[in-house]
Amino acid sequence: MTDFLEVKDLTMQFGGLTAVDSLSFKVAHGSIHGLIGPNGAGKTTTFNMISGFYKPTEGQVLLRGEDISGLQMHEVARRGVVRTFQHSTLFAELTVLENALVGTHMPFRPNIFAAIIGWDSEDRSGAEARAKEALEFFGLDHVMQERAGDLSHGHQRALGMAVAYASHPDVILLDEPFTGMNPEETRQMMDLMERLKADGITILIVEHDMQAIMGLCDTITCMSFGKFLAEGGPQEIRNHPAVIEAYLGGARHVA
Amino acid sequence: MPKFLIWIAALAALIALPHGLSFSQQEILVFLTINVLLVASYRLLTLTGEWSLGHVVIMGVGAYSSALLTKKLGVYVPISMLLGGVIAALIAVLLSFPLFRMKGFYFLIGSFAAGEIIRLLWKRFRDPFGGAKGIKGIDPMPDFSVGFYQFDFFEPTSYYYFAGIIVAVCLWILWRIEKSPVGLTFHAVHWQDKLAQASGVNVRAYRTLAFAIASGFAGISGALLAHYIGTINPNAFDIDLMVYVLTWAIVGGTATFYGPILGCVVLTVINEIVLRELGLEQMRPLIYGAIMILSILFLPNGLESIVQKFTKRRAAEGAPERRPAE
Ligand SMILES: Nc1ncnc2c1ncn2[C@@H]1O[C@H](COP(=O)(O)OP(=O)(O)OP(=O)(O)O)[C@@H](O)[C@H]1O
Ligand SMILES: [Mg+2]
């Protein structure tokens, strides 16, 4: 496994607050990598910097050795790094299928002239096939024509992942994908994550459900108050004194 | 196919329509046709969530451009109209650089300011824009014959047919765009630009694209107007007309393609036929304002919501289709 995605001395300041403080870690190609830490540790902020939503105050994000920090979100996405959002962020007014179709924007780039004349039927059917495939993968094919905003919370989380998956990403960043899912749904989703991994997709995941994290991840990075705390396999992290301390000492979420 | 027959009937009605009208009503029909394109192009812009107050000025850019191209460079009239649209689209691309640093309310105000600057330039530079008096004696569309029909452009009916064909083609293009993956991307940019961007959509480029296309078709509508009335001036494209466009769009509703067109047609009919007959024309701004407020209060989804109610019921009774065709 080679260094594929690397975060180097990443720092983000909001006014006087340092949300992420020279954080460094490496994500190996084809692995499932967990990023954990108590509430407010800076996990989402880290995702925002990797995905190009924020420009880091300092530090670099390296993808296959290329510095992608400071690129816009769509430019990062076009390099194969696609994210989901912590709070179900969907096109609530559009149907489930249309949501997934937007996800196919990169592999099937719309062309306005072809669209007017009608020379894009191949692309359209290709995009539709891919969208349906992504929905099927996440078990959403039976709600294809429903308004995304009307879905149950768990289905909305799944749709967020389906939109990301539809774009054929190399890396998926998942921000708390299992919130709002019952244990059964969570278990099914974990199986799907394993299948994505088997397909060669690298997954970077933020999640408070420790059972899921421990069951899924090859490597886990733990952070607290914006700083790197510990890294290792599930077994190591579970028993790491600093991690236990961070979660027990004044944090709301307990592993 | 009953749907096909409905289209044929509608077409026949549109062809027959001017023959049942007086001369002045025929003229109004020409303006209505042009305004339909104006308001339909405005809807394309609203697809990405932006409401501009500069759309009518952009229409004026098309009018001025086409008029000047014919006057100064001797460009053949229908070609000048097309070029007028292209120039309006290019001006929109230029304007997008300052304007798309803003969103929502700020974009609204910014677009108004940009429009006023353009109108100021028309007033300030008498060469070539003719100052406050504008441009007079704009070349009319040259007459021609297509065998069975002789286009004589002193007749409003002829110009109505000519403009009608152009508007129909433009509407068809706008409709194709809206129903295409590009249109879906416009919706995506509107509803959740963050997620669109995360899916690889260059949000800025798509907003610019929608603005440019909408402006291009507005420009064509302006050019159609210029070569019909033969004279244009900066005040023909002031905020008054913009308020009418907004009223048409809001009263008609912007959720569907036909909503704004419906608003434009219904309000024009009310205005020109009912108000004119009653001699209440002077009160047009007042009555438009009242209609706008009433429709926001009692018909928040516009006239289109009434149509949708009927078509939905029909679709529900017919096939058990979940999504009735729009
Ligand atoms: N846009 C912002 N402006 C100012 N402060 C911010 C901003 N975004 C995050 N913060 C602050 O940065 C810190 C880290 O927030 P972040 O959302 O990254 O935490 P998190 O680890 O994702 O927490 P959670 O587990 O609750 O999702 C918090 O103190 C938060 O208040
Ligand atoms: Mg978070």
Side-chain angles (χ1 to χ4, degrees):
Chain A
M1 295 215 228
T2 54
D3 288 335
F4 181 57
L5 179 67
E6 182 176 359
V7 167
K8 226 172 165 177
D9 302 321
L10 213 54
T11 302
M12 186 79 217
Q13 285 171 333
F14 298 110
L17 176 86
T18 306
V20 175
D21 193 355
S22 49
L23 179 73
S24 302
F25 63 89
K26 293 175 181 177
V27 179
H29 186 253
S31 69
I32 301 185
H33 193 116
L35 182 62
I36 62 169
N39 284 116
K43 305 178 296 292
T44 299
T45 306
T46 304
F47 266 26
N48 283 339
M49 285 188 284
I50 296 175
S51 64
F53 189 55
Y54 292 156
K55 190 175 161 55
T57 316
E58 256 170 75
Q60 291 177 312
V61 178
L62 300 170
L63 179 72
R64 303 179 193 93
E66 181 200 5
D67 185 6
I68 59 166
S69 57
L71 292 183
Q72 293 200 46
M73 199 145 69
H74 70 268
E75 293 171 315
V76 174
R78 286 174 190 188
R79 282 166 175 74
V81 181
V82 171
R83 68 171 299 176
T84 65
F85 293 85
Q86 177 168 3
H87 304 287
S88 290
T89 299
L90 295 168
F91 307 110
E93 304 290 329
L94 304 182
T95 66
V96 170
L97 179 60
E98 285 168 333
N99 270 265
L101 280 171
V102 177
T104 66
H105 182 84
M106 288 191 284
F108 299 95
R109 202 71 70 77
N111 178 316
I112 189 160
F113 297 106
I116 294 168
I117 309 171
W119 280 356
D120 61 345
S121 53
E122 247 172 66
D123 270 1
R124 285 195 205 196
S125 52
E128 190 164 325
R130 175 62 190 161
K132 284 181 174 162
E133 189 183 5
L135 292 176
E136 226 161 278
F137 186 83
F138 284 97
L140 293 166
D141 39 334
H142 61 289
V143 288
M144 214 129 65
Q145 298 302 340
E146 255 155 69
R147 233 178 113 261
D150 295 339
L151 294 182
S152 74
H153 203 80
H155 277 161
Q156 290 196 0
R157 304 301 301 169
L159 180 55
M161 286 187 264
V163 172
Y165 176 59
S167 69
H168 287 297
D170 298 326
V171 187
I172 297 192
L173 312 181
L174 301 171
D175 199 347
E176 305 196 12
F178 304 140
T179 22
M181 291 188 182
N182 60 36
E184 170 61 20
E185 285 173 320
T186 303
R187 209 189 44 70
Q188 284 172 0
M189 281 301 145
M190 285 171 66
D191 286 345
L192 295 183
M193 301 293 112
E194 295 285 0
R195 276 174 60 191
L196 290 182
K197 178 185 165 183
D199 278 355
I201 297 179
T202 306
I203 300 173
L204 180 58
I205 180 171
V206 166
E207 182 53 62
H208 283 297
D209 181 337
M210 281 305 142
Q211 230 172 340
I213 280 283
M214 295 297 166
L216 267 179
C217 295
D218 302 299
T219 315
I220 298 168
T221 302
C222 179
M223 62 188 295
S224 176
F225 295 110
K227 287 199 177 71
F228 177 92
L229 201 62
E231 187 171 273
Q235 210 53 43
E236 252 173 285
I237 289 295
R238 203 196 308 267
N239 301 317
H240 199 293
V243 175
I244 296 170
E245 162 75 23
Y247 271 92
L248 294 180
R252 279 148 286 179
H253 273 265
V254 176
Chain B
M1 280 187 83
K3 203 166 183 183
F4 180 69
L5 289 178
I6 290 173
W7 281 107
I8 296 281
L11 185 65
L14 284 176
I15 292 173
L17 185 59
H19 299 290
L21 299 176
S22 70
F23 186 84
S24 66
Q25 285 171 335
Q26 288 173 344
E27 290 206 298
I28 292 161
L29 189 61
V30 174
F31 294 132
L32 173 60
T33 309
I34 293 169
N35 287 339
V36 162
L37 178 57
L38 179 63
V39 77
S41 68
Y42 191 63
R43 171 175 150 73
L44 190 88
L45 178 61
T46 66
L47 281 190
T48 58
E50 297 302 351
W51 289 65
S52 153
L53 288 180
H55 202 63
V56 162
V57 178
I58 295 280
M59 174 199 199
V61 170
Y64 270 88
S65 305
S66 184
L68 288 174
L69 282 173
T70 50
K71 246 187 145 70
K72 308 264 164 176
L73 301 176
V75 178
Y76 187 59
V77 168
I79 293 173
S80 72
M81 291 180 176
L82 194 66
L83 292 176
V86 171
I87 292 170
L90 291 178
I91 295 286
V93 171
L94 281 183
L95 287 179
S96 75
F97 288 101
L99 286 182
F100 283 159
R101 292 168 172 272
M102 311 171 219
K103 269 177 106 171
F105 178 71
Y106 295 98
F107 178 82
L108 197 73
I109 299 303
S111 64
F112 175 66
E116 287 306 295
I117 290 170
I118 291 175
R119 287 193 337 113
L120 218 71
L121 292 176
W122 290 338
K123 285 184 186 162
R124 172 73 183 70
F125 292 99
R126 300 195 44 190
D127 187 39
F129 302 123
K133 292 212 181 92
I135 304 173
K136 291 200 176 77
I138 301 168
D139 293 2
M141 177 72 198
D143 296 343
F144 64 94
S145 169
V146 287
F148 60 91
Y149 188 80
Q150 170 72 38
F151 281 91
D152 168 8
F153 289 110
F154 277 111
E155 287 291 324
T157 305
S158 277
Y159 204 82
Y160 162 71
Y161 289 147
F162 169 71
I165 291 166
I166 294 194
V167 170
V169 171
C170 292
L171 290 182
W172 179 78
I173 294 174
L174 285 167
W175 193 79
R176 294 282 294 183
I177 292 173
E178 185 178 331
K179 295 295 163 192
S180 77
V182 177
L184 179 65
T185 311
F186 287 151
H187 282 292
V189 167
H190 177 192
W191 293 118
Q192 193 45 264
D193 56 345
K194 264 197 313 178
L195 182 56
Q197 237 184 329
S199 306
V201 175
N202 185 342
V203 167
R204 175 69 185 271
Y206 269 85
R207 291 172 82 201
T208 306
L209 181 66
F211 190 39
I213 297 170
S215 300
F217 286 107
I220 291 177
S221 75
L224 281 172
L225 182 71
H227 294 283
Y228 179 60
I229 51 181
T231 163
I232 50 173
N233 62 64
N235 287 336
F237 305 103
D238 64 4
I239 194 72
D240 281 12
L241 180 56
M242 189 64 231
V243 170
Y244 292 140
V245 173
L246 285 175
T247 314
W248 297 328
I250 290 170
V251 171
T254 50
T256 61
F257 185 79
Y258 58 79
I261 298 175
L262 195 64
C264 177
V265 172
V266 169
L267 285 186
T268 305
V269 168
I270 289 178
N271 182 59
E272 301 295 346
I273 308 218
V274 183
L275 296 189
R276 197 171 289 243
E277 291 305 312
L278 295 176
L280 293 175
E281 244 186 320
Q282 300 300 321
M283 292 169 66
R284 174 158 133 150
L286 178 76
I287 289 168
Y288 260 48
I291 289 176
M292 177 120 119
I293 290 170
L294 287 177
S295 84
I296 289 172
L297 286 179
F298 299 109
L299 207 62
N301 296 321
L303 292 170
E304 66 190 6
S305 59
I306 301 176
V307 178
Q308 275 176 326
K309 222 177 256 169
F310 282 104
T311 51
K312 276 221 176 88
R313 186 173 310 155
R314 251 198 16 220
E317 281 167 5
E321 187 92 26
R322 209 185 306 216
R323 282 208 336 142
E326 280 151 50

